[in-house]
Each structure stands twice: as C-alpha cells, then as structure tokens.
mmCIF file of all heavy atoms in Angstrom:
data_model
loop_
_atom_site.group_PDB
_atom_site.id
_atom_site.type_symbol
_atom_site.label_atom_id
_atom_site.label_comp_id
_atom_site.label_asym_id
_atom_site.label_seq_id
_atom_site.Cartn_x
_atom_site.Cartn_y
_atom_site.Cartn_z
ATOM 1 N N ASP D 1 0.823 -1.210 0.000
ATOM 2 C CA ASP D 1 0.000 0.000 0.000
ATOM 3 C C ASP D 1 0.859 1.263 0.000
ATOM 4 O O ASP D 1 0.582 2.221 -0.746
ATOM 5 C CB ASP D 1 -0.921 0.004 1.216
ATOM 6 C CG ASP D 1 -2.018 -1.047 1.114
ATOM 7 O OD1 ASP D 1 -2.285 -1.501 -0.019
ATOM 8 O OD2 ASP D 1 -2.595 -1.425 2.150
ATOM 9 N N LEU D 2 1.901 1.284 0.828
ATOM 10 C CA LEU D 2 2.765 2.465 0.876
ATOM 11 C C LEU D 2 3.497 2.668 -0.443
ATOM 12 O O LEU D 2 3.675 3.804 -0.909
ATOM 13 C CB LEU D 2 3.756 2.339 2.028
ATOM 14 C CG LEU D 2 3.201 2.569 3.440
ATOM 15 C CD1 LEU D 2 4.302 2.460 4.471
ATOM 16 C CD2 LEU D 2 2.509 3.923 3.540
ATOM 17 N N ASN D 3 3.936 1.572 -1.057
ATOM 18 C CA ASN D 3 4.612 1.706 -2.349
ATOM 19 C C ASN D 3 3.655 2.181 -3.439
ATOM 20 O O ASN D 3 4.047 2.927 -4.356
ATOM 21 C CB ASN D 3 5.247 0.371 -2.748
ATOM 22 C CG ASN D 3 6.569 0.118 -2.042
ATOM 23 O OD1 ASN D 3 7.382 1.024 -1.910
ATOM 24 N ND2 ASN D 3 6.785 -1.103 -1.583
ATOM 25 N N LYS D 4 2.392 1.740 -3.355
ATOM 26 C CA LYS D 4 1.402 2.238 -4.320
ATOM 27 C C LYS D 4 1.162 3.740 -4.122
ATOM 28 O O LYS D 4 1.047 4.499 -5.102
ATOM 29 C CB LYS D 4 0.094 1.467 -4.158
ATOM 30 C CG LYS D 4 0.142 0.049 -4.699
ATOM 31 C CD LYS D 4 -1.201 -0.647 -4.537
ATOM 32 C CE LYS D 4 -1.170 -2.053 -5.132
ATOM 33 N NZ LYS D 4 -2.469 -2.762 -4.945
ATOM 34 N N GLN D 5 1.091 4.161 -2.873
ATOM 35 C CA GLN D 5 0.923 5.591 -2.598
ATOM 36 C C GLN D 5 2.137 6.386 -3.074
ATOM 37 O O GLN D 5 1.999 7.482 -3.659
ATOM 38 C CB GLN D 5 0.699 5.811 -1.101
ATOM 39 C CG GLN D 5 -0.597 5.232 -0.575
ATOM 40 C CD GLN D 5 -0.699 5.332 0.934
ATOM 41 O OE1 GLN D 5 0.070 6.027 1.575
ATOM 42 N NE2 GLN D 5 -1.667 4.625 1.496
ATOM 43 N N LEU D 6 3.333 5.806 -2.822
ATOM 44 C CA LEU D 6 4.555 6.480 -3.269
ATOM 45 C C LEU D 6 4.605 6.548 -4.787
ATOM 46 O O LEU D 6 5.039 7.559 -5.364
ATOM 47 C CB LEU D 6 5.774 5.734 -2.721
ATOM 48 C CG LEU D 6 7.139 6.339 -3.049
ATOM 49 C CD1 LEU D 6 7.255 7.756 -2.485
ATOM 50 C CD2 LEU D 6 8.259 5.461 -2.512
ATOM 51 N N LEU D 7 4.153 5.492 -5.449
ATOM 52 C CA LEU D 7 4.132 5.496 -6.911
ATOM 53 C C LEU D 7 3.190 6.566 -7.438
ATOM 54 O O LEU D 7 3.503 7.251 -8.427
ATOM 55 C CB LEU D 7 3.709 4.111 -7.418
ATOM 56 C CG LEU D 7 3.610 3.956 -8.941
ATOM 57 C CD1 LEU D 7 4.958 4.227 -9.599
ATOM 58 C CD2 LEU D 7 3.099 2.564 -9.306
ATOM 59 N N GLN D 8 2.055 6.759 -6.772
ATOM 60 C CA GLN D 8 1.121 7.791 -7.205
ATOM 61 C C GLN D 8 1.733 9.187 -7.056
ATOM 62 O O GLN D 8 1.592 10.048 -7.939
ATOM 63 C CB GLN D 8 -0.171 7.695 -6.382
ATOM 64 C CG GLN D 8 -1.263 8.643 -6.839
ATOM 65 C CD GLN D 8 -1.701 8.367 -8.272
ATOM 66 O OE1 GLN D 8 -2.079 7.261 -8.614
ATOM 67 N NE2 GLN D 8 -1.636 9.398 -9.123
ATOM 68 N N VAL D 9 2.440 9.386 -5.918
ATOM 69 C CA VAL D 9 3.111 10.678 -5.723
ATOM 70 C C VAL D 9 4.183 10.878 -6.792
ATOM 71 O O VAL D 9 4.325 11.980 -7.356
ATOM 72 C CB VAL D 9 3.726 10.743 -4.307
ATOM 73 C CG1 VAL D 9 4.580 12.004 -4.152
ATOM 74 C CG2 VAL D 9 2.645 10.701 -3.248
ATOM 75 N N ALA D 10 4.938 9.806 -7.083
ATOM 76 C CA ALA D 10 5.988 9.916 -8.109
ATOM 77 C C ALA D 10 5.391 10.232 -9.476
ATOM 78 O O ALA D 10 5.942 11.040 -10.241
ATOM 79 C CB ALA D 10 6.795 8.624 -8.154
ATOM 80 N N GLU D 11 4.271 9.585 -9.804
ATOM 81 C CA GLU D 11 3.631 9.870 -11.100
ATOM 82 C C GLU D 11 3.145 11.309 -11.166
ATOM 83 O O GLU D 11 3.278 11.969 -12.210
ATOM 84 C CB GLU D 11 2.467 8.898 -11.306
ATOM 85 C CG GLU D 11 2.919 7.456 -11.572
ATOM 86 C CD GLU D 11 1.735 6.511 -11.674
ATOM 87 O OE1 GLU D 11 0.615 6.926 -11.315
ATOM 88 O OE2 GLU D 11 1.928 5.347 -12.093
ATOM 89 N N ASP D 12 2.574 11.802 -10.074
ATOM 90 C CA ASP D 12 2.119 13.195 -10.058
ATOM 91 C C ASP D 12 3.283 14.151 -10.237
ATOM 92 O O ASP D 12 3.185 15.145 -10.994
ATOM 93 C CB ASP D 12 1.396 13.488 -8.743
ATOM 94 C CG ASP D 12 0.076 12.738 -8.625
ATOM 95 O OD1 ASP D 12 -0.420 12.267 -9.673
ATOM 96 O OD2 ASP D 12 -0.447 12.597 -7.500
ATOM 97 N N ARG D 13 4.390 13.868 -9.571
ATOM 98 C CA ARG D 13 5.545 14.761 -9.692
ATOM 99 C C ARG D 13 6.189 14.639 -11.072
ATOM 100 O O ARG D 13 6.727 15.619 -11.607
ATOM 101 C CB ARG D 13 6.571 14.421 -8.609
ATOM 102 C CG ARG D 13 6.093 14.754 -7.188
ATOM 103 C CD ARG D 13 7.220 14.657 -6.185
ATOM 104 N NE ARG D 13 8.259 15.619 -6.494
ATOM 105 C CZ ARG D 13 9.480 15.614 -5.953
ATOM 106 N NH1 ARG D 13 9.795 14.648 -5.097
ATOM 107 N NH2 ARG D 13 10.374 16.519 -6.282
ATOM 108 N N LEU D 14 6.125 13.416 -11.665
ATOM 109 C CA LEU D 14 6.655 13.251 -13.026
ATOM 110 C C LEU D 14 5.822 14.036 -14.017
ATOM 111 O O LEU D 14 6.368 14.707 -14.915
ATOM 112 C CB LEU D 14 6.659 11.764 -13.392
ATOM 113 C CG LEU D 14 7.130 11.423 -14.812
ATOM 114 C CD1 LEU D 14 8.592 11.817 -15.010
ATOM 115 C CD2 LEU D 14 6.936 9.937 -15.100
ATOM 116 N N ASN D 15 4.516 13.978 -13.858
ATOM 117 C CA ASN D 15 3.638 14.730 -14.754
ATOM 118 C C ASN D 15 3.840 16.228 -14.600
ATOM 119 O O ASN D 15 3.664 17.001 -15.558
ATOM 120 C CB ASN D 15 2.173 14.382 -14.472
ATOM 121 C CG ASN D 15 1.851 12.943 -14.831
ATOM 122 O OD1 ASN D 15 2.497 12.354 -15.704
ATOM 123 N ND2 ASN D 15 0.850 12.367 -14.167
ATOM 124 N N ALA D 16 4.225 16.614 -13.378
ATOM 125 C CA ALA D 16 4.468 18.047 -13.149
ATOM 126 C C ALA D 16 5.868 18.455 -13.571
ATOM 127 O O ALA D 16 6.206 19.646 -13.527
ATOM 128 C CB ALA D 16 4.264 18.376 -11.665
ATOM 129 N N GLY D 17 6.685 17.483 -13.994
ATOM 130 C CA GLY D 17 8.038 17.786 -14.451
ATOM 131 C C GLY D 17 9.021 17.993 -13.334
ATOM 132 O O GLY D 17 10.104 18.538 -13.573
ATOM 133 N N ASP D 18 8.701 17.526 -12.111
ATOM 134 C CA ASP D 18 9.587 17.740 -10.964
ATOM 135 C C ASP D 18 10.678 16.685 -10.843
ATOM 136 O O ASP D 18 11.709 16.933 -10.204
ATOM 137 C CB ASP D 18 8.781 17.749 -9.663
ATOM 138 C CG ASP D 18 7.815 18.938 -9.603
ATOM 139 O OD1 ASP D 18 8.069 19.933 -10.315
ATOM 140 O OD2 ASP D 18 6.827 18.857 -8.843
ATOM 141 N N ILE D 19 10.452 15.488 -11.408
ATOM 142 C CA ILE D 19 11.417 14.400 -11.242
ATOM 143 C C ILE D 19 11.647 13.731 -12.587
ATOM 144 O O ILE D 19 10.800 13.804 -13.492
ATOM 145 C CB ILE D 19 10.908 13.338 -10.227
ATOM 146 C CG1 ILE D 19 9.580 12.739 -10.720
ATOM 147 C CG2 ILE D 19 10.761 13.930 -8.833
ATOM 148 C CD1 ILE D 19 9.104 11.552 -9.898
ATOM 149 N N PRO D 20 12.781 13.053 -12.729
ATOM 150 C CA PRO D 20 13.010 12.280 -13.967
ATOM 151 C C PRO D 20 12.184 10.991 -13.951
ATOM 152 O O PRO D 20 11.731 10.534 -12.902
ATOM 153 C CB PRO D 20 14.508 11.996 -13.930
ATOM 154 C CG PRO D 20 14.852 12.001 -12.481
ATOM 155 C CD PRO D 20 13.974 13.047 -11.852
ATOM 156 N N GLU D 21 12.040 10.410 -15.107
ATOM 157 C CA GLU D 21 11.245 9.184 -15.228
ATOM 158 C C GLU D 21 11.868 8.019 -14.469
ATOM 159 O O GLU D 21 11.176 7.094 -14.027
ATOM 160 C CB GLU D 21 11.101 8.840 -16.706
ATOM 161 C CG GLU D 21 10.056 7.780 -16.989
ATOM 162 C CD GLU D 21 9.810 7.613 -18.478
ATOM 163 O OE1 GLU D 21 10.520 8.266 -19.279
ATOM 164 O OE2 GLU D 21 8.933 6.824 -18.846
ATOM 165 N N LEU D 22 13.188 8.058 -14.277
ATOM 166 C CA LEU D 22 13.883 6.979 -13.574
ATOM 167 C C LEU D 22 13.338 6.793 -12.158
ATOM 168 O O LEU D 22 13.239 5.669 -11.668
ATOM 169 C CB LEU D 22 15.382 7.276 -13.517
ATOM 170 C CG LEU D 22 16.237 6.279 -12.732
ATOM 171 C CD1 LEU D 22 16.147 4.885 -13.353
ATOM 172 C CD2 LEU D 22 17.695 6.763 -12.668
ATOM 173 N N GLU D 23 12.981 7.883 -11.494
ATOM 174 C CA GLU D 23 12.471 7.771 -10.122
ATOM 175 C C GLU D 23 11.185 6.964 -10.073
ATOM 176 O O GLU D 23 10.975 6.159 -9.153
ATOM 177 C CB GLU D 23 12.261 9.159 -9.517
ATOM 178 C CG GLU D 23 13.538 9.886 -9.202
ATOM 179 C CD GLU D 23 13.320 11.065 -8.269
ATOM 180 O OE1 GLU D 23 12.185 11.195 -7.744
ATOM 181 O OE2 GLU D 23 14.263 11.845 -8.046
ATOM 182 N N MET D 24 10.331 7.162 -11.049
ATOM 183 C CA MET D 24 9.091 6.392 -11.090
ATOM 184 C C MET D 24 9.385 4.909 -11.299
ATOM 185 O O MET D 24 8.761 4.040 -10.690
ATOM 186 C CB MET D 24 8.170 6.908 -12.190
ATOM 187 C CG MET D 24 6.791 6.228 -12.198
ATOM 188 S SD MET D 24 5.785 6.742 -13.605
ATOM 189 C CE MET D 24 6.687 5.981 -14.947
ATOM 190 N N TYR D 25 10.386 4.610 -12.152
ATOM 191 C CA TYR D 25 10.744 3.216 -12.388
ATOM 192 C C TYR D 25 11.291 2.565 -11.111
ATOM 193 O O TYR D 25 11.034 1.387 -10.837
ATOM 194 C CB TYR D 25 11.785 3.124 -13.503
ATOM 195 C CG TYR D 25 11.250 3.518 -14.865
ATOM 196 C CD1 TYR D 25 12.088 4.041 -15.860
ATOM 197 C CD2 TYR D 25 9.893 3.369 -15.154
ATOM 198 C CE1 TYR D 25 11.601 4.391 -17.097
ATOM 199 C CE2 TYR D 25 9.403 3.729 -16.399
ATOM 200 C CZ TYR D 25 10.243 4.239 -17.361
ATOM 201 O OH TYR D 25 9.754 4.598 -18.588
ATOM 202 N N LEU D 26 12.063 3.321 -10.340
ATOM 203 C CA LEU D 26 12.585 2.797 -9.081
ATOM 204 C C LEU D 26 11.453 2.438 -8.123
ATOM 205 O O LEU D 26 11.504 1.407 -7.440
ATOM 206 C CB LEU D 26 13.517 3.818 -8.426
ATOM 207 C CG LEU D 26 14.849 4.071 -9.130
ATOM 208 C CD1 LEU D 26 15.617 5.180 -8.425
ATOM 209 C CD2 LEU D 26 15.676 2.792 -9.170
ATOM 210 N N VAL D 27 10.419 3.256 -8.076
ATOM 211 C CA VAL D 27 9.279 2.959 -7.215
ATOM 212 C C VAL D 27 8.534 1.736 -7.729
ATOM 213 O O VAL D 27 8.070 0.894 -6.940
ATOM 214 C CB VAL D 27 8.333 4.175 -7.133
ATOM 215 C CG1 VAL D 27 7.125 3.841 -6.252
ATOM 216 C CG2 VAL D 27 9.070 5.376 -6.569
ATOM 217 N N GLN D 28 8.414 1.592 -9.029
ATOM 218 C CA GLN D 28 7.756 0.414 -9.596
ATOM 219 C C GLN D 28 8.514 -0.869 -9.232
ATOM 220 O O GLN D 28 7.900 -1.906 -8.946
ATOM 221 C CB GLN D 28 7.655 0.575 -11.118
ATOM 222 C CG GLN D 28 6.647 1.625 -11.561
ATOM 223 C CD GLN D 28 6.642 1.811 -13.063
ATOM 224 O OE1 GLN D 28 7.576 1.415 -13.758
ATOM 225 N NE2 GLN D 28 5.577 2.427 -13.576
ATOM 226 N N VAL D 29 9.848 -0.781 -9.240
ATOM 227 C CA VAL D 29 10.654 -1.948 -8.839
ATOM 228 C C VAL D 29 10.383 -2.300 -7.375
ATOM 229 O O VAL D 29 10.240 -3.478 -7.010
ATOM 230 C CB VAL D 29 12.151 -1.667 -9.062
ATOM 231 C CG1 VAL D 29 13.004 -2.760 -8.424
ATOM 232 C CG2 VAL D 29 12.453 -1.560 -10.551
ATOM 233 N N GLU D 30 10.308 -1.277 -6.524
ATOM 234 C CA GLU D 30 10.029 -1.526 -5.110
ATOM 235 C C GLU D 30 8.648 -2.132 -4.918
ATOM 236 O O GLU D 30 8.447 -3.006 -4.070
ATOM 237 C CB GLU D 30 10.138 -0.218 -4.321
ATOM 238 C CG GLU D 30 11.554 0.228 -4.067
ATOM 239 C CD GLU D 30 12.341 -0.818 -3.305
ATOM 240 O OE1 GLU D 30 11.897 -1.247 -2.208
ATOM 241 O OE2 GLU D 30 13.402 -1.231 -3.802
ATOM 242 N N LEU D 31 7.694 -1.693 -5.707
ATOM 243 C CA LEU D 31 6.351 -2.239 -5.629
ATOM 244 C C LEU D 31 6.350 -3.710 -6.039
ATOM 245 O O LEU D 31 5.718 -4.560 -5.377
ATOM 246 C CB LEU D 31 5.398 -1.434 -6.516
ATOM 247 C CG LEU D 31 3.935 -1.927 -6.556
ATOM 248 C CD1 LEU D 31 3.318 -1.932 -5.160
ATOM 249 C CD2 LEU D 31 3.115 -1.068 -7.516
ATOM 250 N N ALA D 32 7.060 -4.033 -7.108
ATOM 251 C CA ALA D 32 7.146 -5.430 -7.553
ATOM 252 C C ALA D 32 7.864 -6.285 -6.503
ATOM 253 O O ALA D 32 7.482 -7.428 -6.241
ATOM 254 C CB ALA D 32 7.870 -5.512 -8.897
ATOM 255 N N ARG D 33 8.906 -5.708 -5.890
ATOM 256 C CA ARG D 33 9.622 -6.464 -4.852
ATOM 257 C C ARG D 33 8.722 -6.753 -3.651
ATOM 258 O O ARG D 33 8.741 -7.852 -3.096
ATOM 259 C CB ARG D 33 10.841 -5.665 -4.395
ATOM 260 C CG ARG D 33 11.762 -6.421 -3.459
ATOM 261 C CD ARG D 33 12.859 -5.500 -2.937
ATOM 262 N NE ARG D 33 12.292 -4.429 -2.148
ATOM 263 C CZ ARG D 33 11.932 -4.548 -0.863
ATOM 264 N NH1 ARG D 33 12.069 -5.723 -0.249
ATOM 265 N NH2 ARG D 33 11.433 -3.531 -0.210
ATOM 266 N N SER D 34 7.917 -5.785 -3.258
ATOM 267 C CA SER D 34 7.015 -5.998 -2.125
ATOM 268 C C SER D 34 5.918 -7.011 -2.469
ATOM 269 O O SER D 34 5.491 -7.786 -1.614
ATOM 270 C CB SER D 34 6.387 -4.664 -1.684
ATOM 271 O OG SER D 34 5.656 -4.072 -2.739
ATOM 272 N N GLU D 35 5.499 -7.032 -3.728
ATOM 273 C CA GLU D 35 4.530 -8.032 -4.161
ATOM 274 C C GLU D 35 5.138 -9.434 -4.098
ATOM 275 O O GLU D 35 4.481 -10.396 -3.664
ATOM 276 C CB GLU D 35 4.066 -7.736 -5.588
ATOM 277 C CG GLU D 35 3.150 -6.529 -5.732
ATOM 278 C CD GLU D 35 1.714 -6.864 -5.374
ATOM 279 O OE1 GLU D 35 1.454 -7.997 -4.914
ATOM 280 O OE2 GLU D 35 0.859 -5.986 -5.526
ATOM 281 N N GLY D 36 6.388 -9.565 -4.529
ATOM 282 C CA GLY D 36 7.052 -10.861 -4.451
ATOM 283 C C GLY D 36 7.247 -11.327 -3.019
ATOM 284 O O GLY D 36 7.073 -12.516 -2.703
ATOM 285 N N ALA D 37 7.598 -10.394 -2.142
ATOM 286 C CA ALA D 37 7.757 -10.744 -0.725
ATOM 287 C C ALA D 37 6.427 -11.212 -0.136
ATOM 288 O O ALA D 37 6.386 -12.152 0.667
ATOM 289 C CB ALA D 37 8.288 -9.543 0.058
ATOM 290 N N ARG D 38 5.345 -10.566 -0.556
ATOM 291 C CA ARG D 38 4.030 -10.950 -0.056
ATOM 292 C C ARG D 38 3.683 -12.371 -0.466
ATOM 293 O O ARG D 38 3.132 -13.154 0.330
ATOM 294 C CB ARG D 38 2.982 -9.963 -0.594
ATOM 295 C CG ARG D 38 1.620 -10.038 0.078
ATOM 296 C CD ARG D 38 0.690 -11.041 -0.565
ATOM 297 N NE ARG D 38 0.565 -10.807 -1.986
ATOM 298 C CZ ARG D 38 0.007 -11.663 -2.829
ATOM 299 N NH1 ARG D 38 -0.439 -12.842 -2.384
ATOM 300 N NH2 ARG D 38 -0.084 -11.393 -4.117
ATOM 301 N N ILE D 39 4.048 -12.765 -1.679
ATOM 302 C CA ILE D 39 3.773 -14.126 -2.150
ATOM 303 C C ILE D 39 4.545 -15.140 -1.321
ATOM 304 O O ILE D 39 4.008 -16.182 -0.910
ATOM 305 C CB ILE D 39 4.122 -14.249 -3.642
ATOM 306 C CG1 ILE D 39 3.179 -13.364 -4.486
ATOM 307 C CG2 ILE D 39 4.042 -15.699 -4.099
ATOM 308 C CD1 ILE D 39 3.548 -13.304 -5.956
ATOM 309 N N ASP D 40 5.832 -14.863 -1.048
ATOM 310 C CA ASP D 40 6.628 -15.784 -0.236
ATOM 311 C C ASP D 40 6.069 -15.916 1.178
ATOM 312 O O ASP D 40 6.005 -17.026 1.738
ATOM 313 C CB ASP D 40 8.078 -15.299 -0.171
ATOM 314 C CG ASP D 40 8.790 -15.433 -1.511
ATOM 315 O OD1 ASP D 40 8.349 -16.260 -2.335
ATOM 316 O OD2 ASP D 40 9.787 -14.709 -1.733
ATOM 317 N N ILE D 41 5.684 -14.810 1.766
ATOM 318 C CA ILE D 41 5.151 -14.847 3.129
ATOM 319 C C ILE D 41 3.808 -15.567 3.158
ATOM 320 O O ILE D 41 3.500 -16.296 4.110
ATOM 321 C CB ILE D 41 5.023 -13.418 3.690
ATOM 322 C CG1 ILE D 41 6.407 -12.773 3.787
ATOM 323 C CG2 ILE D 41 4.353 -13.430 5.058
ATOM 324 C CD1 ILE D 41 6.379 -11.305 4.166
ATOM 325 N N ASP D 42 3.022 -15.381 2.119
ATOM 326 C CA ASP D 42 1.728 -16.057 2.045
ATOM 327 C C ASP D 42 1.920 -17.572 2.005
ATOM 328 O O ASP D 42 1.188 -18.322 2.655
ATOM 329 C CB ASP D 42 0.980 -15.582 0.789
ATOM 330 C CG ASP D 42 -0.461 -16.066 0.788
ATOM 331 O OD1 ASP D 42 -1.037 -16.227 1.887
ATOM 332 O OD2 ASP D 42 -1.008 -16.295 -0.306
ATOM 333 N N ARG D 43 2.927 -18.021 1.264
ATOM 334 C CA ARG D 43 3.223 -19.451 1.213
ATOM 335 C C ARG D 43 3.672 -19.968 2.581
ATOM 336 O O ARG D 43 3.247 -21.048 3.034
ATOM 337 C CB ARG D 43 4.306 -19.724 0.168
ATOM 338 C CG ARG D 43 4.651 -21.202 0.028
ATOM 339 C CD ARG D 43 5.580 -21.457 -1.137
ATOM 340 N NE ARG D 43 6.827 -20.728 -1.023
ATOM 341 C CZ ARG D 43 7.166 -19.686 -1.778
ATOM 342 N NH1 ARG D 43 6.337 -19.257 -2.726
ATOM 343 N NH2 ARG D 43 8.320 -19.073 -1.620
ATOM 344 N N ALA D 44 4.491 -19.190 3.266
ATOM 345 C CA ALA D 44 4.935 -19.595 4.604
ATOM 346 C C ALA D 44 3.761 -19.653 5.579
ATOM 347 O O ALA D 44 3.679 -20.564 6.422
ATOM 348 C CB ALA D 44 5.991 -18.622 5.120
ATOM 349 N N TYR D 45 2.840 -18.706 5.453
ATOM 350 C CA TYR D 45 1.666 -18.692 6.331
ATOM 351 C C TYR D 45 0.821 -19.945 6.127
ATOM 352 O O TYR D 45 0.356 -20.566 7.093
ATOM 353 C CB TYR D 45 0.834 -17.437 6.061
ATOM 354 C CG TYR D 45 -0.492 -17.416 6.785
ATOM 355 C CD1 TYR D 45 -0.539 -17.409 8.173
ATOM 356 C CD2 TYR D 45 -1.692 -17.415 6.077
ATOM 357 C CE1 TYR D 45 -1.753 -17.390 8.844
ATOM 358 C CE2 TYR D 45 -2.903 -17.400 6.740
ATOM 359 C CZ TYR D 45 -2.928 -17.379 8.118
ATOM 360 O OH TYR D 45 -4.131 -17.376 8.774
#
C-alpha cells in the first residue's frame, strides 16, 4: 500500500516535471519487490 501511494506521488511529480522518469521506475521496482515478498510470506503462512 505504501509503495502504491509512493508510486502515485511519483507519477504526479513526473507529470508536473519535478522528477526524472527513472524515479518512477525505481518505485515500480520496489512495488514489484514488495509483491514478491508478499507471495513468499503467504506461502509460509
């Protein structure tokens, strides 16, 4: 959830021209990593 919120903030700032596109990609990677961690933890549960 926090990574999704951060991604939304990054997209808003990218659209406003405040940040480079690379920052948004970094947040997307973090979101994918958290999704993968969730799958592993779900299996352990």
Side-chain angles (χ1 to χ4, degrees):
D1 290 340
L2 285 182
N3 280 318
K4 286 181 178 178
Q5 294 173 13
L6 182 60
L7 179 60
Q8 185 61 55
V9 173
E11 289 176 348
D12 292 343
R13 292 191 62 193
L14 177 64
N15 293 333
D18 295 338
I19 60 172
E21 193 172 4
L22 176 61
E23 289 196 9
M24 186 186 69
Y25 292 153
L26 291 176
V27 179
Q28 289 176 343
V29 170
E30 284 302 305
L31 179 59
R33 188 186 63 81
S34 59
E35 288 279 6
R38 193 272 307 168
I39 294 174
D40 291 337
I41 297 173
D42 190 30
R43 181 172 59 251
Y45 172 63

